[in-house]
């Protein structure tokens, strides 16, 4: 017994002949890959620059904090002769080691 299977009109031999062959858009894929590569390189450069800026800022903040602490210690030493004597002794000891 034969079965009749209905076909969609686009699947007739004439309909199949009219369908364009699908090609992989190599140019588009390559362009997207190139764009992602360029963005990756720029991203890496930007991340490195931000990390450098951050480490520079941290060093600057630490130096500023140290200067402020030195200023406070010097202000206290000017009012206390014992503290001033200790600071002078420490400075002389550092000078003797380094020079």
């Amino acid at each position: 017994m034969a079965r009749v299977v209905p076909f969609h009109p686009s699947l007739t031999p004439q309909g199949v002949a009219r369908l364009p062959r699908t090609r992989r858009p190599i140019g588009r894929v390559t362009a997207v890959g190139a764009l992602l590569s360029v963005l990756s390189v720029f991203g890496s450069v930007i991340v490195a620059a931000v990390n450098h800026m951050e480490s520079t800022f941290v060093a600057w903040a630490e130096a500023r904090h140290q200067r402020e602490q030195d200023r406070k210690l010097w202000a206290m030493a000017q009012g206390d002769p014992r503290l001033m004597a200790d600071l002078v002794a420490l400075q002389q000891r550092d000078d003797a080691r380094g020079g």
Side-chain angles (χ1 to χ4, degrees):
M1 173 174 249
R3 289 178 65 190
V4 176
V5 179
F7 285 104
H8 192 272
S10 66
L11 294 178
T12 61
Q14 294 82 15
V16 172
R18 282 186 276 132
L19 291 177
R21 290 186 179 177
T22 57
R23 280 192 298 169
R24 200 168 171 198
I26 293 175
R28 187 177 301 162
V29 172
T30 305
V32 170
L35 177 65
L36 290 176
S37 296
V38 168
L39 290 176
S40 173
V41 168
F42 281 131
S44 298
V45 169
I46 289 170
V47 166
V50 168
N51 286 339
H52 180 69
M53 286 174 34
E54 181 182 10
S55 64
T56 301
F57 177 73
V58 167
W60 174 80
E62 288 174 354
R64 183 173 182 219
H65 179 72
Q66 185 62 41
R67 285 191 308 267
E68 183 64 22
Q69 293 298 321
D70 290 345
R71 186 192 63 75
K72 288 178 182 178
L73 181 62
W74 182 251
M76 286 176 24
Q78 287 177 333
D80 186 2
R82 293 175 297 166
L83 183 57
M84 182 63 82
D86 288 344
L87 287 177
V88 169
L90 286 172
Q91 185 177 12
Q92 288 174 350
R93 187 181 69 183
D94 285 345
D95 290 344
R97 283 186 190 173

